[in-house]
Amino acid sequence: MARKTFVIGVGMTHFDKPGRRNDIDYTDYSLEAMTKALLDADATYDAVQFACVGYIGADSTAGQRALYQLGMTQIPVLNVNNNCATGSTALYTARNAVQAGLAEVALALGFEKMKPGSLGSNFPDRTPPLDWAISQMMELREYDVAAPMTAQIFANAAVEYGETNKNGSATEEAMHLIASKSHTHSTLNPYAQFNQPASVEQVKKARKVFGPMTLLHCSPTSDGAACAIIASEEYVLKHNLGPQAIEITAQVMATDSTLAFDPTGAKKSCVELAGADMTRFAAKKVYTQSGITAKDIDVCELHDCFSGNELITYDALGFCEPGQAVPYTLSGATFHPKFRPKNLQQTGSFHNVTVNTSGGLISKGHPLGATGIAQCAELVWQLRGWCDARQVPSAKRALQHNVGLGGAVVVTLYERASESVKKAEKGWVDPRTRMGYNPAVACRGVSDADVKKVMAGKGSLLGLPSGLYPDVKEKLDAILSAKL
């Protein structure tokens, strides 16, 4: 029988524009995220029995290089690459290790140091994973060699969705509203790459990228890292972590169906090329596994790499009836109540699901390997009730959606722990007290003292728990000073 699994610690770095912090490498971002997550979990690296690391832009075994900063304890380490779903793939793998009884505690880490500009192929001399998708899209829509390929996939998907459902110009208005929402929500997220609000008019007037999408509809490339610690119920109870534990009650990974590429050539669709059916399939399985429906979701972190993808994903996740994503968007149902425009207060029969309180990929940023785990961090904080001004009132269930073209999607359901697990025995210390601040609303660096607290007992590449190497301490101090 599969065991229950819980997130007991999360941590992430600020997401930075590539090149803004040339003094920080992926190892530095990773060290900060891991240290924060282990401090949150009240654990040292010695407790970790399995690790999975996700990244796109680094060499093989870069995951080990990141982890060895906290310990070289001979645990199994897997490195994964699954396009934009890489972070959630690491989370999925770590959770499976705990669920299957292979580990009591597993660590999921995602990081990225990216190149500026839009995404492109790293290996132009080999068959691209998306060659079939691009050729099929070119049969359906005119291809613009000057525009980013991914922007065209998701813009064409949204436009087709609007045409199919006879939404007319309202489709573009819905996309503008989604982009504005993301930028507005991000103003309360201290980790976000962009913290400036953007009105619908500002979104419309930004530089055109492709079709109805302007620059403010698009997620940026980013540098950063995020980490989550997954534990069994036995570990949670033994270490008195119930009050902070958030249960992963269902999680499904899926890949493309023949709706994305029909071998008979009879059905071709830009919506399906963008991964709608694998999201649809994964979401349905999550709801079946957990015994709930989309109407039971309170808050969602959704993969808004572009506004067009958020639009079609409302439908695929079941937040609205099929074909109703445009009126659903225009109802304001996905806004945080604090920011919902006054003219959108009436949502009619639509179920309110606050989407992307973090600002989403569009504003928070999109370091591919870290994105899925950063989504996890935001939802854990929401379900703990730590988010202050951006807190979704009375949030009990949270849904995470992380998709990568080519393709893979991971849909994850989080819930507050049951009372039998959540009950605190004497001696539990709130992580905010232990850390000295609330990481949900303040982005701080880590000190050498923090690193020493979580380092494995036998030491690591950085030194010993009794003292880090002088050059390591000097660099940590410099990074920490730059954040203050």
Side-chain angles (χ1 to χ4, degrees), residues 18-320:
R20 188 180 82 85
R21 296 297 307 274
N22 286 325
D23 57 323
I24 299 181
D25 202 353
Y26 76 88
T27 50
D28 303 307
Y29 282 116
S30 297
L31 179 63
E32 180 181 331
M34 291 188 297
T35 299
K36 288 176 174 178
L38 287 166
L39 287 172
D40 187 23
D42 197 19
T44 70
Y45 189 74
D46 282 318
V48 177
Q49 299 172 335
F50 178 93
C52 189
V53 187
Y55 56 89
I56 303 293
D59 290 328
S60 180
T61 69
Q64 281 90 323
R65 180 61 182 83
L67 293 166
Y68 286 175
Q69 297 176 105
L70 290 182
M72 303 172 77
T73 55
Q74 298 190 297
I75 62 171
V77 176
L78 299 184
N79 294 281
V80 295
N81 174 340
N82 227 0
N83 218 335
C84 298
T86 293
S88 281
T89 300
L91 184 69
Y92 176 85
T93 307
R95 189 240 182 178
N96 277 349
V98 175
Q99 189 178 45
L102 301 177
E104 292 301 312
V105 178
L107 180 151
L109 171 68
F111 65 75
E112 217 66 73
K113 280 279 286 187
M114 300 186 73
K115 299 175 183 177
S118 57
L119 300 177
S121 174
N122 291 323
F123 303 102
D125 60 332
R126 297 160 213 185
T127 301
L130 290 172
D131 60 341
W132 59 273
I134 301 304
S135 62
Q136 187 160 299
M137 183 178 70
M138 291 172 68
E139 292 179 31
L140 295 167
R141 303 276 166 170
E142 185 175 348
Y143 188 77
D144 184 348
V145 295
M149 175 265 293
T150 49
Q152 295 186 63
I153 289 175
F154 291 108
N156 285 333
V159 169
E160 179 188 281
Y161 184 91
E163 292 172 350
T164 302
N165 295 295
K166 299 180 173 57
N167 295 125
S169 61
T171 303
E172 293 190 18
E173 291 302 314
M175 294 169 70
H176 296 322
L177 190 64
I178 286 169
S180 176
K181 171 180 65 67
S182 293
H183 287 284
T184 302
H185 283 181
S186 74
T187 60
L188 298 177
N189 183 4
Y191 296 90
Q193 186 168 332
F194 302 129
N195 289 114
Q196 297 300 315
S199 67
V200 168
E201 284 305 309
Q202 288 173 314
V203 169
K204 289 180 181 179
K205 293 178 180 178
R207 176 169 65 83
K208 186 73 79 174
V209 173
F210 180 79
M213 296 197 313
T214 67
L215 191 63
L216 296 182
H217 287 253
C218 309
S219 62
T221 50
S222 313
D223 295 344
C227 181
I229 311 298
I230 314 300
S232 67
E233 183 175 19
E234 291 79 3
Y235 185 92
V236 170
L237 293 173
K238 180 180 178 180
H239 294 271
N240 194 27
L241 296 171
Q244 69 193 66
I246 299 300
E247 185 175 0
I248 298 177
T249 50
Q251 187 176 53
V252 173
M253 176 185 283
T255 53
D256 287 300
S257 73
T258 51
L259 286 182
F261 181 82
D262 182 359
T264 69
K267 298 177 182 178
K268 296 179 181 179
S269 164
C270 289
V271 171
E272 301 305 339
L273 282 177
D277 195 48
M278 57 179 170
T279 291
R280 204 178 291 124
F281 175 84
K284 286 179 179 177
K285 287 193 72 173
V286 162
Y287 298 144
T288 299
Q289 287 179 12
S290 59
I292 68 165
T293 71
K295 290 187 177 181
D296 296 307
I297 303 300
D298 300 305
V299 58
C300 175
E301 283 292 300
L302 183 157
H303 193 95
D304 63 328
C305 48
F306 298 91
S307 61
N309 194 45
E310 181 165 334
L311 178 73
I312 66 171
T313 303
Y314 292 159
D315 189 322
L317 290 176
F319 291 167
C320 61

Side-chain angles (χ1 to χ4, degrees), residues 31 35 39 445-453 468 476-477 480:
L31 179 63
T35 299
L39 287 172
V446 294
S447 66
D448 66 313
D450 293 327
V451 174
K452 288 188 290 185
K453 285 178 185 176
L468 305 184
L476 275 170
D477 289 343
L480 186 60

Side-chain angles (χ1 to χ4, degrees), residues 188-191 381 386-390 432 437-443:
L188 298 177
N189 183 4
Y191 296 90
W381 289 330
W386 287 12
C387 291
D388 292 356
R390 73 176 189 279
R432 292 170 292 185
Y437 71 104
N438 180 356
V441 297
C443 177

